[in-house]
Amino acid sequence: MTREEIIKPENLVYSKTKVLTDTVMHYCPGCGHGTTHRLVAEVIDEMGIQSETLGVAPVGCAVLAYNYFDVDIAEAAHGRAPALATAMKRLRPEKFVFTYQGDGDLAAIGTGETIHACNRGENITIIFVNNGIYGMTGGQMAPTTLEGMVTATSPYGREQQFNGHPLKITELVAQLPGTYYVTRQAVYTPALVRRAKKAIRQAFEYQKLNKGVTFVEIVSNCNSGWKMSPVKANEWLEENMLPFYPLGDLKVPEKE
Amino acid sequence: MAKEIKLMKGNEAIAEGAIRCGCDGYFGYPITPQSEILEYLTAENPYPKTGMVVLQAESETASINMVYGGAALGKRVMTTSSSPGISLMQEGLSYIAGAELPALVVNVVRGGPGLGTIQPSQADYFQTVKGGGHGDYRLITLAPASVQEMYDFVELGFDLAFKYRNPVMLLSDGVIGQVMEKVEVGEYKPRWTNEYIAKTYPWALVGKPESRGHNIITSLQLDPVVQEKVNHKLQAKYKVCEENEVRYETFQTEDAEILLVAYGSSARICQKVVQLGREAGIKVGLLRPITLWPFPKKPLLELSKQVKSILTVEMSAGQMIEDVKLAVECKVPVQHYGRFGGMIPTPTEIFEVLKTL
């Protein structure tokens, strides 16, 4: 097939979703952010809510998410996205409001904002990408860094006695009565991508019910920060991250 | 229609002014001496009547970032706090200034540094007008000297904030916040509709229609060439603001040989000092800056040609005096008299200083 034939609409099997802009993403090859962006954008597109969606970007690797999501979107200070989203949803309750945050942003500097937005039961969706490291600043230890994991600021491996335990923030927010749907997903295989997309769709659908925070963690890799090839990073993710951060739903609505 | 007069605390006037001027959202956290604002608003419960959102946040950090989120939607949103809480908000203020968003912040100043005291102070002048957060930015700063001005400056603050897409600070203090005075309140004004916001403020996040690209609210420009341009744009805006928004008041300066310069509650005290001075045959007058930024440099420079000396009176160790000295270009001697750490100067003690000039 020639290029001309391929790009004919009837032959098209895959194309960029319209809720992503044409801006070239800065993410490292092999990183889960690109896939996660795409899933969120596809869900917004398929639900037909592009004009009804307001986003909040974090500080961290996804700091430039506002250039990629083709929705009206604000860039928050580090960790403060849930505070922005709280006000946005309260002032425009008819809109879909989501934050997109990493683990340093959401589980370290923004812990307070995360816990209290979840505990108040704000009707927002939080997309939480957990790669166990501060990627953008060059691979430093995060609250989610696994025990023994080597990072730029735990060069001999994270020591529990010295650095404390990795924080399971998703388990924590699932305990709060203000969260309605809490799930942990991954995007490193096609099957998992499909499952993650369903979860993100569910999270946005549930926002219509006004029953509290819907929270989707994506356990992801950071091949640059982990200093591994993309393939090796995905293997490492499966062998090390998933036993500590097991995939699946942590909280699903009770059947009414 | 007859004027509606209420007897109110300064803090209550802030809250009443917010409800009546059509404020969309208040996000705050309790701290003395301004907790009455949040208490008054939650008791009034304006949401069913006007749609104004009132939310108690988990911290001042969260409050200012809720304001950031609300301001990004083109909504008229505000927070209030006192000195230690305002310190926590400096990050957010820098972001709001950097992202060029309109917002109103009230600081009912108390004594510091640190946890300090809950008594009145004016020691947050530097933090407010010199940029308490990071980067080259300015806060338009209004200094109310009465409960009436606490009420009036809420709407004025919002107007200026939207005119310049810049955060506005009401720099009050524990005296003005707690004192009760008569206030003439205005009519209830409706909040702006979402349609009005979308039409009037094309930068606002309202949900991206097919007809335009997505709106982005950010203070990030990684390319220093672009970031410098952003800064030039900000500076140009501040220049326009300096040319157009200087506000001040003079009191018996026509023939004055000694000039008092004071703002807020210190200015109220200094009115009495002027009276004491005049009774003693001293030709003394008062200039009260109403905007602390932009600062009334020109009127001060003009008066410096007429007066022999200037005395600034502040409830601080001497902060505004630096701007007074810059304004008068050292043409006349400028001295400072201050009480601080929560202490309030009396007219007589200032009068004693006045006699030595």
Side-chain angles (χ1 to χ4, degrees), chain A residues 18 50-51 54 66 69-75 77 80 83-84 87-88 90-92 95 113 116 120, chain B residues 24 55 58 61 65-66 68-70 73 91 95 194 205-208 210 212 214-218 220:
Chain A
K18 73 165 188 164
Q50 185 180 18
S51 66
L54 302 172
Y66 58 75
F69 287 118
D70 197 15
V71 297
D72 277 7
I73 186 163
E75 158 54 28
R80 316 299 177 215
L84 273 77
M88 289 158 83
R90 296 253 180 173
L91 291 160
R92 297 297 302 266
K95 298 286 180 192
E113 284 75 12
H116 286 281
R120 281 191 303 265
Chain B
D24 293 300
L55 184 64
E58 66 270 28
T61 309
N65 283 286
M66 288 174 184
Y68 180 20
L73 308 189
E91 175 202 43
Y95 274 72
N194 292 328
L205 308 184
V206 295
K208 180 198 121 59
E210 288 290 332
R212 64 154 166 84
H214 62 159
N215 279 351
I216 296 170
I217 297 294
T218 183
L220 176 69

Side-chain angles (χ1 to χ4, degrees), chain B residues 121-198:
Chain B
S121 169
Q122 294 181 317
D124 293 359
Y125 180 92
F126 281 156
Q127 185 195 51
T128 311
V129 306
K130 307 293 178 190
H134 56 285
D136 270 322
Y137 75 92
R138 294 289 191 177
L139 298 178
I140 299 168
T141 305
L142 297 166
S146 64
V147 177
Q148 184 69 53
E149 284 188 343
M150 290 287 258
Y151 178 89
D152 293 338
F153 286 2
V154 173
E155 185 169 17
L156 173 63
F158 277 126
D159 289 349
L160 290 170
F162 275 82
K163 184 174 176 185
Y164 291 96
R165 280 187 67 179
N166 204 71
V168 171
M169 177 74 84
L170 255 65
L171 193 70
S172 177
D173 63 63
V175 178
I176 306 294
Q178 293 295 329
V179 75
M180 291 188 91
E181 289 183 325
K182 273 196 309 186
V183 185
E184 185 187 330
V185 296
E187 305 270 305
Y188 287 93
K189 293 184 182 171
R191 294 187 307 111
W192 293 342
T193 62
N194 292 328
E195 294 68 34
Y196 173 82
I197 292 168

Side-chain angles (χ1 to χ4, degrees), chain A residues 31 43 47 69 85-86 99 110 113-114 129 136 161 180 210 216:
Chain A
C31 170
V43 163
M47 287 174 72
F69 287 118
T86 293
T99 72
E113 284 75 12
T114 303
V129 178
M136 187 184 67
Q161 276 190 314
Y180 188 64
N210 290 329
V216 183

